[in-house]
Amino acid sequence: MKISTSALLNELKERTSQHLEYAQTLTLKTEEELNFRNSQDSWSALECLEHLNRYGDFYIPEITNRTDTSKIPPKDIFKPGILGNYFAKSMLPKENLNKMKTLKIMNPIHSQLNKTVIEKFISQQKQLLSLLEKAQNIDLERTKTSISISKLIKLKLGDTFRFVIYHNERHIEQIKRILAS
């Protein structure tokens, strides 16, 4: 797969803008609705957002650091890496969503949460949009980022953006299902 760098960044900005808009609608819900869970071992809407915030706490500073220090000019075409493409695609929501285990430190189940979780998520989405703008001026392939599960593995910046934003999308869809039940 090869994609125009500008097309990729535009797609990611559009998805992030949609996530931001959806999160803003969640501020109209009550905390009782947002803390509802379908079962004892499933997440509430706020727990889904808290999970995303925890990932954002790692990836936003990591991406910021890499975009601030990269001096490599952009290329017109982005070609995903094998591992990065696999991680990114595995995050995209599917009809029959496969459940995935999350790291213990990223699992917010049974946390006492309130609407500040939404405010933080909104702030992180705005930061992501800003980073996507900055990314237009650097090479998304040769600029590499660490990943949350291992400092030894590096992904292309374009794949890291895809992973984070598709992961957000996956859990936004989960929140929609929770609130519809």
Side-chain angles (χ1 to χ4, degrees):
M1 166 191 145
K2 288 183 183 178
I3 185 170
S4 148
T5 300
S6 61
L8 173 64
L9 290 171
N10 288 338
E11 175 216 334
L12 296 174
K13 282 186 236 175
E14 178 60 30
R15 287 178 190 259
T16 303
S17 293
Q18 289 171 1
H19 302 159
L20 174 60
E21 286 173 28
Y22 182 73
Q24 289 167 332
T25 69
L26 293 176
T27 63
L28 304 174
K29 302 276 186 196
T30 67
E31 285 188 3
E32 183 180 0
E33 290 172 290
L34 295 167
N35 277 303
F36 169 80
R37 67 178 76 244
N38 288 318
S39 69
Q40 192 58 28
D41 56 349
S42 66
W43 287 351
S44 68
L46 286 180
E47 287 169 335
C48 290
L49 286 181
E50 175 62 17
H51 170 72
L52 295 177
N53 288 344
R54 291 177 186 189
Y55 273 94
D57 287 343
F58 174 82
Y59 283 105
I60 290 173
E62 176 67 13
I63 293 169
T64 300
N65 181 37
R66 302 305 177 179
T67 56
D68 286 349
T69 58
S70 179
K71 305 281 189 259
I72 309 166
K75 287 196 279 186
D76 291 338
I77 301 296
F78 175 74
K79 185 174 184 287
I82 294 169
L83 193 58
N85 197 44
Y86 171 79
F87 284 150
K89 282 184 167 184
S90 72
M91 287 298 119
L92 277 171
K94 299 173 191 68
E95 191 67 40
N96 294 319
L97 201 57
N98 53 322
K99 286 198 168 209
M100 294 183 168
K101 274 292 219 193
T102 192
L103 298 172
K104 189 174 172 113
I105 61 168
M106 298 299 190
N107 189 344
I109 196 155
H110 302 299
S111 300
Q112 297 298 311
L113 302 172
N114 58 38
K115 287 187 177 183
T116 59
V117 171
I118 302 170
E119 294 165 18
K120 182 173 182 178
F121 182 76
I122 288 171
S123 172
Q124 287 187 350
Q125 297 317 290
K126 290 177 180 175
Q127 290 173 36
L128 264 178
L129 286 170
S130 175
L131 289 167
L132 287 164
E133 282 297 321
K134 282 170 63 175
Q136 293 177 129
N137 301 314
I138 57 176
D139 188 324
L140 298 183
E141 283 185 42
R142 291 182 43 215
T143 304
K144 308 282 186 174
T145 64
S146 295
I147 63 170
S148 59
I149 58 173
S150 171
K151 300 283 187 210
L152 302 175
I153 300 172
K154 303 265 192 233
L155 295 183
K156 296 176 180 186
L157 177 60
D159 287 332
T160 301
F161 273 125
R162 291 171 64 226
F163 169 81
V164 171
I165 293 165
Y166 295 171
H167 182 235
N168 288 348
E169 186 144 326
R170 177 186 191 88
H171 289 291
I172 294 281
E173 291 303 314
Q174 182 180 4
I175 291 168
K176 289 176 182 176
R177 287 192 308 276
I178 294 165
L179 295 175
S181 56

